[in-house]
């Protein structure tokens, strides 16, 4: 049986290598590829995907797993081998249950839909996108049906991003979160506004870049195992555990953009760089889930990067970079500005206090679409109603509303909740870290992050994708994903800033 | 049969796509990959190579070719389909005749040898490299044996780089070339030296880069289908016909390095960008041979880039970039400096008049090694004897002599002659171009290159790898590879510069 297991590992290593190669192609496409290279690159991507799919769904793979799954049940369920077989089986099922012609149709439909979405958004014309989204919703419901029986039609979609998590769990979490966040925002709205105009002066591109590099270096990002480049939308990607790259976008009159973007991507990258080397080239060498990934990026961006302690150390440095713009701005004024709360239309620009509400709105709409209780044609109306209810504002057009995100056009229904769950997990971990490292704040004030990173490495990073997200969070914090710590965090932080 | 041909094309497209992906991985490795990424990248490269090899040597491929080769003989031998089948069969034979364990051994031996060569060169200790080279020579002779019968044991090696070319042909060409080049160099040596000291002042890195970009743009390099990056050794690579990238290396006190390096790589890139789009993703979408490729790079670097006409246009521009360094240097003094002839030890730094002699020396030694008339242990001595005979100088140590090039350590025996043949072909083409574009020099003086590029596109580039090198040269110039034009060119140029 050991021989069969080795064969499985070998096959998975090949698939892994090809996925990493695909990631390199994607990185190049978004950073350096000349425009005319797109067509041939597309053909090459298709060839690679086809080969990976053939390998991952081969009869040989199926037979191997048929023999290994019962064998796994004889092993310690927490052993690497048992987990590896379980994950391999999971992947195999995901890839084989859906008929090939459906996979191909989905690829065609979403490719078309993305083009239509770009146009619809630029013209703020939902009608152009509507038929595409209708077909996508149908296909996603069909997709779910291949994984029946399920508790909820949304479960199979969610499971693609958050292994093991159920719709009911997410709904419960959000039901507890929503009223408290809405209440908080209303309290803030009644207080005087914070001035953040100085964040929108002209900040030299190169200096912004250099400051970001300094921060990432301090955080512990290993530049010998990664690099930073520019791209239109910031992202993190990896071609192995020791080649984890980040990108950033510098906007000269928006200091927060590159600043927090770099911290965010560095958070993702630290996770990837911290995965145990022994898991490389295997299905255990990924991350636990998107939400856990997001908990890392949001922790470094918000819990560290938007804290007073952090800026006690870094603000004098930032002032050295930008004496003209910030020389006369106090630390306190700067701290308040980067934490300004303001209900706004666009999710990716939202502050910590309002962000999750953007997500809840999307989750509710996605579930309603999947359940069939909401028709696509009524989506803009449903969007605006909820915006009014949660954030008190109504988008003036659909570009600033229902058409703002790319996700649905790519068929990614089930993805949005991971953003909010990441926020929640980040603070759950943070409370535990504060217990384990009592002088954490003092360390941060001295620009020291090695104990924090060490904790994350030990508790989260090194495990790769061995544990499911709920399992990992419980293992580390003692409870499953829980909104209470996040609520506590927001209340403490904003009562202080807004004085109520 | 059409169905079978389509199946072959499909299979070759897949192999082609994977090779292009491999090229992207190689480019990234030499430009941006962080150092710690090397190990995983190596594993990924090995996986990709293995898959390509499996596909290229599969039984199915063999059977397809068994049916298609006779069919090709019923087609017009100049048709694309006939050529494609011929080339596919050639590739298949190359990859299947050598037993897999020999291929693996060769990979192991050359990997070890490259490490040993690096050390041997840095210590100038041939003894460290000798046992590795001995094994490589044995393996290359064995390799040749799989392609028996042949006219000469060197033929199968040469054929890997120059399809269809025979050792006897190359020997004949070089036998005619050598005495005339030696004579020319002796004549130049008796004349007063040219001053080129001003080429070694400090030239700003960024300005050198910008000037190179300006020249490449004028030549007609399509930046929408390529880009330039930095690397330790300049190279050109492509991931399709519309993604052809060049790299350069800027050395602040060596103006000619980036200047002519960029023109050289642009020459290679123009070839790749000019291949007919219909040949993409097929074995016809490459180049005719390394020598034909080199004819393009050397043409733009030397026949264009080291000409008076070129500098009549560009020298005032260069002076604007570097007024301090070149403001008081006349066009004529500059022209002579960049064409200075001086026998030197290192091939890659050699001028046009001495370059081919470096190659002939290597070719003679390679042939002697393969024939068994020279033992590896006597190689340094044989090297130095020829250096004295051809160039009148003896390297003070083996680092500046027999250990200077990486090629042999990688098993690349048969590669060197392509450099010299490229020089010869470039002038053969040039003589023809001058007939076809009578006012070419005037165009160049005006910085206009579109007629020249158009000619090359029509006669050379668009054909991809459809024709073998001798066939292509004959088709375009009316004769096979011929050293006489090159001799005429050198004599005319250097008699003028050195006044004899």
């Amino acid at each position: 049986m050991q021989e069969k297991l080795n064969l499985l590992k070998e096959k998975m290593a090949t698939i892994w290598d090809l996925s990493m190669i695909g990631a390199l192609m994607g990185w190049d496409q978004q950073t350096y590829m000349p425009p005319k290279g797109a067509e041939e690159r597309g053909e090459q991507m298709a060839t690679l995907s086809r080969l990976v799919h053939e390998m991952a769904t081969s009869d040989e793979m199926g037979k191997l797993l048929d023999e290994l799954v019962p064998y796994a049940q004889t092993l310690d369920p927490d052993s690497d081998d048992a987990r590896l077989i379980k994950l391999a089986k999971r992947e195999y099922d995901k890839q084989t249950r859906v008929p090939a012609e459906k996979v191909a149709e989905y690829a065609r439909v979403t490719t078309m839909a993305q083009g239509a979405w770009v146009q619809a958004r630029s013209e703020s014309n939902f009608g152009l996108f509507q038929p595409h989204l209708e077909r996508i919703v149908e296909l996603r419901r069909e997709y779910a049906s291949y994984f029946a029986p399920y508790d909820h039609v949304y479960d199979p979609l969610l499971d693609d991003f958050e292994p093991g998590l159920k719709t009911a769990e997410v709904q419960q979490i959000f039901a507890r979160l929503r009223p408290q966040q809405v209440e908080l925002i209303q309290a803030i709205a009644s207080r005087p506004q914070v001035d953040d105009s100085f964040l929108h002066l002209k900040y030299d591109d190169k200096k912004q870049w250099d400051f970001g590099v300094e921060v990432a270096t301090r955080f512990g990002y290993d530049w010998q195992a990664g690099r930073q480049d520019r791209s239109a939308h910031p992202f993190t990607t990896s071609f192995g555990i020791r080649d984890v790259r980040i990108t950033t976008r510098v906007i000269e009159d928006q200091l927060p953009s590159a600043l927090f973007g770099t911290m965010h991507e560095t958070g993702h990258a630290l996770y990837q760089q911290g995965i145990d080397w022994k898991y490389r080239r295997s299905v255990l060498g990924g991350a636990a889930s998107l939400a856990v990934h997001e908990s890392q990026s949001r922790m470094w961006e918000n819990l560290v990067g938007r804290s007073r302690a952090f800026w006690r150390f870094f603000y004098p440095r930032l002032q050295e970079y930008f004496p003209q713009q910030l020389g006369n701005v106090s630390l306190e004024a700067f701290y308040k500005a980067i934490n300004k709360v303001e209900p706004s239309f666009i999710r990716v620009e939202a502050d910590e206090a309002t962000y999750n509400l953007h997500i809840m709105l999307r989750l509710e709409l996605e579930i309603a679409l999947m359940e069939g209780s909401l028709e696509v044609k009524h989506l803009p109306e449903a969007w605006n109603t909820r915006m009014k209810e949660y954030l008190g504002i109504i988008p003036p057009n659909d570009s600033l509303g229902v058409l703002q995100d790319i996700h649905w056009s790519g068929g990614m229904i089930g993805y949005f909740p991971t953003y909010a769950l990441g926020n929640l997990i980040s603070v759950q971990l943070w409370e535990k870290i504060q217990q384990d490292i009592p002088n954490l704040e003092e360390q941060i004030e001295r620009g020291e992050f090695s104990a924090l990173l060490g904790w994350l490495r030990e508790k989260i990073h090194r495990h790769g994708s061995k544990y499911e997200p709920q399992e990992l969070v419980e293992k580390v914090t003692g409870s499953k994903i829980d909104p209470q710590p996040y609520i506590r965090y927001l209340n403490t932080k904003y009562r202080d800033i807004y004085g109520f």
Side-chain angles (χ1 to χ4, degrees), chain A:
Chain A
M1 203 51 81
Q2 194 55 45
E3 210 174 288
K4 295 230 157 87
L5 182 57
N6 287 340
L7 188 58
L8 177 73
K9 286 180 181 175
E10 232 173 71
K11 285 185 177 303
M12 302 213 75
T14 297
I15 292 173
W16 182 264
D17 285 342
L18 296 182
S19 320
M20 293 293 106
I21 292 169
L24 173 66
M25 294 163 77
W27 170 85
D28 181 72
Q29 208 166 8
Q30 290 185 68
T31 52
Y32 294 120
M33 189 184 77
K36 289 186 188 168
E39 184 172 344
E40 285 161 293
R41 180 64 54 91
E43 292 162 346
Q44 292 155 14
M45 290 274 216
T47 292
L48 197 74
S49 304
R50 181 170 54 73
L51 291 178
V52 168
H53 190 259
E54 281 170 14
M55 287 177 200
T57 60
S58 69
D59 292 346
E60 212 189 337
M61 182 71 94
K63 274 183 211 145
L64 259 181
L65 285 168
D66 283 347
E67 296 182 277
L68 284 167
V69 167
Y71 165 68
Q73 279 152 11
T74 69
L75 300 174
D76 169 4
D78 260 8
S79 67
D80 287 349
D81 282 349
R83 294 293 175 135
L84 181 128
I85 293 167
K86 183 183 164 191
L87 280 178
K89 171 70 173 155
R90 176 188 147 85
E91 288 298 311
Y92 178 79
D93 286 346
K94 290 249 178 208
Q95 300 221 32
T96 51
R97 287 216 191 170
V98 187
E101 68 272 17
K102 281 293 159 191
V103 175
E105 185 182 359
Y106 179 71
R108 270 197 314 279
V109 167
T110 53
T111 301
M112 294 294 291
Q114 287 186 42
W117 168 76
V118 168
Q119 177 128 21
R121 188 172 75 153
S122 83
E123 298 179 20
S124 198
N125 180 350
F126 183 76
L128 293 178
F129 181 48
Q130 184 186 320
H132 297 275
L133 186 55
E134 281 166 351
R135 186 72 194 123
I136 285 173
V137 170
E138 275 175 47
L139 284 172
R140 292 279 81 186
R141 290 166 75 174
E142 234 173 68
Y143 175 82
S145 73
Y146 298 118
F147 298 92
Y150 42 67
D151 299 333
H152 192 285
V153 62
Y154 190 74
D155 279 354
L157 305 189
L158 184 62
D159 190 81
D160 282 355
F161 306 105
E162 296 301 318
L165 200 66
K166 301 289 176 208
T167 308
E169 294 175 277
V170 177
Q171 284 176 314
Q172 255 180 4
I173 291 167
F174 284 7
R176 289 169 61 200
L177 190 60
R178 190 173 44 236
Q180 306 197 57
Q181 279 210 249
V182 170
E183 196 185 325
L184 175 71
I185 290 160
Q186 283 164 352
I188 292 171
S190 67
R191 303 293 305 160
Q193 275 295 308
V194 157
D195 173 29
D196 68 345
S197 57
F198 52 84
L199 297 178
H200 302 282
L201 303 171
K202 187 173 184 300
Y203 288 84
D204 177 70
D205 179 295
K206 171 81 167 55
K207 286 185 188 170
Q208 286 198 47
W209 180 276
D210 290 346
F211 184 75
V213 167
E214 204 176 309
V215 171
T217 306
R218 277 263 168 193
F219 280 179
Y221 179 70
D222 183 352
W223 295 97
Q224 299 294 301
R227 50 179 291 115
Q228 182 173 248
D229 297 273
R230 290 170 190 266
S231 66
H233 300 282
F235 66 93
T236 302
T237 184
S238 62
F239 323 134
I241 292 170
R242 296 189 182 155
D243 191 350
V244 180
R245 305 189 189 182
I246 59 179
T247 70
T248 195
R249 166 181 57 176
V250 178
I251 306 173
E252 290 209 320
D253 63 355
Q254 289 185 36
L255 182 64
S257 177
L259 190 55
F260 295 105
T262 300
M263 293 192 222
H264 183 97
E265 301 309 330
T266 301
H268 282 305
L270 290 172
Y271 190 177
Q272 295 289 142
Q273 285 185 340
I275 295 169
D276 198 320
W277 180 245
K278 73 179 174 189
Y279 291 155
R280 80 180 188 285
R281 305 182 77 211
S282 97
V283 71
L284 297 175
S289 77
L290 286 188
V292 177
H293 230 308
E294 196 72 4
S295 78
Q296 300 304 294
S297 57
R298 298 292 270 183
M299 181 181 293
W300 292 96
E301 176 194 358
N302 291 332
L303 307 185
V304 174
R306 280 190 166 90
S307 73
R308 267 204 194 86
F310 176 88
W311 288 107
R312 286 211 181 95
F313 182 82
F314 276 106
Y315 191 56
R317 271 307 278 149
L318 189 66
Q319 286 178 311
E320 277 174 43
Y321 275 95
F322 302 109
Q324 264 194 310
Q325 297 90 332
L326 298 175
N328 294 320
V329 176
S330 72
L331 169 60
E332 197 54 25
F334 180 79
Y335 171 70
K336 286 187 176 174
I338 58 170
N339 283 298
K340 183 180 181 177
V341 174
E342 191 170 36
S344 61
F345 302 123
I346 301 294
R347 174 184 61 84
V348 298
E349 293 166 6
D351 52 75
E352 282 180 90
T354 57
Y355 189 93
N356 284 350
L357 293 169
H358 288 270
I359 297 304
M360 287 179 227
L361 171 161
R362 286 160 176 76
L363 174 71
E364 288 163 23
L365 297 177
E366 285 187 347
I367 290 177
L369 288 171
M370 288 296 289
E371 286 176 344
S373 60
L374 174 67
E375 284 181 79
V376 169
K377 68 178 172 198
H378 297 132
L379 191 58
E381 197 192 319
W383 181 284
N384 293 347
T385 307
R386 277 180 179 71
M387 278 297 286
K388 175 75 181 144
E389 189 184 335
Y390 299 164
L391 290 163
I393 53 177
I394 297 177
N397 59 55
D398 289 340
S399 292
L400 293 170
V402 69
L403 288 172
Q404 67 184 267
D405 292 306
I406 194 175
H407 301 62
W408 291 338
S409 73
M412 286 191 286
I413 297 176
Y415 190 115
F416 282 123
T418 72
Y419 293 121
L421 295 171
N423 287 332
L424 307 188
I425 297 170
S426 76
V427 180
Q428 278 184 274
L429 296 176
W430 195 247
E431 289 194 347
K432 181 73 177 129
I433 292 166
Q434 284 176 314
Q435 287 167 23
D436 290 352
I437 311 175
N439 69 338
L440 178 64
E441 194 171 320
E442 289 156 45
Q443 292 186 22
I444 295 177
E445 280 177 0
R446 291 197 305 269
E448 285 170 21
F449 303 97
S450 57
L452 172 58
L453 181 58
W455 191 97
L456 293 169
R457 287 268 143 97
E458 171 64 22
K459 306 285 187 184
I460 306 287
H461 301 175
R462 71 184 172 92
H463 301 301
S465 39
K466 182 170 175 178
Y467 302 106
E468 291 187 347
Q470 285 285 38
E471 190 184 11
L472 180 65
V473 172
E474 188 166 19
K475 188 177 146 80
V476 175
T477 68
S479 74
K480 293 191 169 183
I481 301 173
D482 173 9
Q484 239 20 74
Y486 193 68
I487 292 292
R488 276 198 289 273
Y489 161 75
L490 287 185
N491 273 300
T492 309
K493 179 167 187 173
Y494 291 106
R495 279 174 198 275
D496 167 56
I497 292 174
Y498 282 91
F500 60 93

